Amino acid sequence: QVHLVESGGGLVQAGGSLRLSCAASRRAFSTYAMGWFRQAPGKEREFVAAISWSGGSTYYADSVKGRFTISRDNAKNTMALQMNSLKAEDTAVYYCAGDRTPRTRLAVRQEGYDYWGQGTQVTVSS
């Protein structure tokens, strides 16, 4: 079992930046692909970004491409999501997730992830 804890959420004005972090409880984290998802009020949880276990491969939802950057530090069992040029529509609860299954492609569906954090609220005021 891997416990994931997100931090770094908050209130920011449109155009601003936030950096989310995800801390994992186990060294096994370094062997898992990781992802970020978000859920806005009244909407389904949606994929944001994913990163391979080595950090060498990343993938982004079209809605955040060019604005968000996913990264990881396996030595510290942490992952981050740097969010720039934030928009009101980025407002959501953001979740980090871990995928323990070796894959040829990064998973973009919730079903592909085994471990989830409790979420952190990001609110962007317009």
Side-chain angles (χ1 to χ4, degrees):
Q1 184 73 10
V2 176
H3 294 286
L4 303 174
V5 179
E6 303 94 336
S7 61
L11 174 64
V12 64
Q13 288 188 332
S17 298
L18 276 177
R19 184 177 179 86
L20 304 183
S21 294
C22 174
S25 62
R26 286 185 58 192
R27 278 185 170 269
F29 161 88
S30 65
T31 66
Y32 300 162
M34 299 293 295
W36 286 98
F37 287 75
R38 66 186 181 185
Q39 187 167 20
K43 294 189 176 181
E44 296 287 325
R45 190 174 297 187
E46 64 175 4
F47 170 79
V48 175
I51 188 167
S52 62
W53 68 270
S54 67
S57 179
T58 58
Y59 188 75
Y60 298 91
D62 288 343
S63 59
V64 306
K65 199 173 296 182
R67 300 188 298 123
F68 291 10
T69 302
I70 189 171
S71 61
R72 67 190 297 162
D73 185 339
N74 286 342
K76 297 181 178 179
N77 287 357
T78 59
M79 176 179 66
L81 184 69
Q82 177 67 42
M83 306 186 296
N84 299 328
S85 302
L86 283 162
K87 306 175 182 179
E89 51 263 43
D90 294 319
T91 295
V93 177
Y94 283 70
Y95 299 88
C96 69
D99 176 10
R100 64 185 178 190
T101 302
R103 304 180 193 275
T104 55
R105 291 185 178 183
L106 293 168
V108 298
R109 296 171 58 90
Q110 298 182 61
E111 293 78 8
Y113 291 83
D114 306 288
Y115 306 109
W116 292 86
Q118 82 289 348
T120 186
Q121 176 70 47
V122 171
T123 303
V124 184
S125 62
S126 57

